[in-house]
Amino acid sequence: MPKNIRHRALKLCVLCLACAIAIAVSPIFTPAQSTTQLEFRIIQLERQISELRGQIYSLQNQGSRVNRPPSPSGSGRTNARMLSGDPLFDNLATLAIETKQDVIKIQERLSKLESSRNR
């Protein structure tokens, strides 16, 4: 083989070897970056899922309030002093009150069932 061709072949082999080493070593450095990016994306997706669940729950509550008859104690107006300014807190307070009313109704039904059972 002439010296010129041997020199080119050697350069080509060295270049291929350098590329192979670079390809083999490159995944060592990228997983930390990609892991961080994946964790950030997962956190974002979890936050979005949580927000969507809250919105769904809020819409379900609004739908159930539309179907319910108005409560006798409420005049239809909300007292401005009772609003906190935070819609999530106000929603939570409304849910707590509605849950308490539901528990009272269930207790009344339970006592009726117990009294009819004891007869």
Side-chain angles (χ1 to χ4, degrees):
M1 249 179 154
K3 202 175 193 181
N4 192 14
I5 295 175
R6 203 179 312 160
H7 184 57
R8 283 186 182 175
L10 184 61
K11 277 185 173 181
L12 186 61
C13 287
V14 170
L15 182 63
C16 287
L17 183 63
C19 288
I21 290 173
I23 291 171
V25 172
S26 66
I28 295 172
F29 298 109
T30 56
Q33 293 172 347
S34 63
T35 302
T36 304
Q37 291 171 347
L38 284 175
E39 288 175 359
F40 178 73
R41 184 68 180 140
I42 288 170
I43 290 170
Q44 280 184 323
L45 290 172
E46 287 174 344
R47 188 178 307 131
Q48 288 175 347
I49 289 170
S50 177
E51 289 173 2
L52 288 172
R53 283 181 179 161
Q55 290 174 359
I56 289 170
Y57 190 68
S58 176
L59 288 172
Q60 287 174 340
N61 263 345
Q62 289 175 0
S64 67
R65 280 191 222 129
V66 168
N67 294 333
R68 278 191 194 163
S71 62
S73 63
S75 63
R77 282 190 317 187
T78 305
N79 190 348
R81 280 188 332 200
M82 295 179 72
L83 293 176
S84 70
D86 183 5
L88 291 176
F89 181 79
D90 294 337
N91 190 25
L92 181 62
T94 302
L95 291 174
I97 292 169
E98 290 175 351
T99 302
K100 184 176 180 179
Q101 291 172 347
D102 290 342
V103 168
I104 291 170
K105 289 177 186 176
I106 290 171
Q107 287 174 338
E108 289 172 355
R109 289 178 61 198
L110 180 62
S111 63
K112 286 179 184 178
L113 285 171
E114 288 175 342
S115 66
S116 66
R117 185 177 173 205
N118 291 335
R119 290 183 189 169

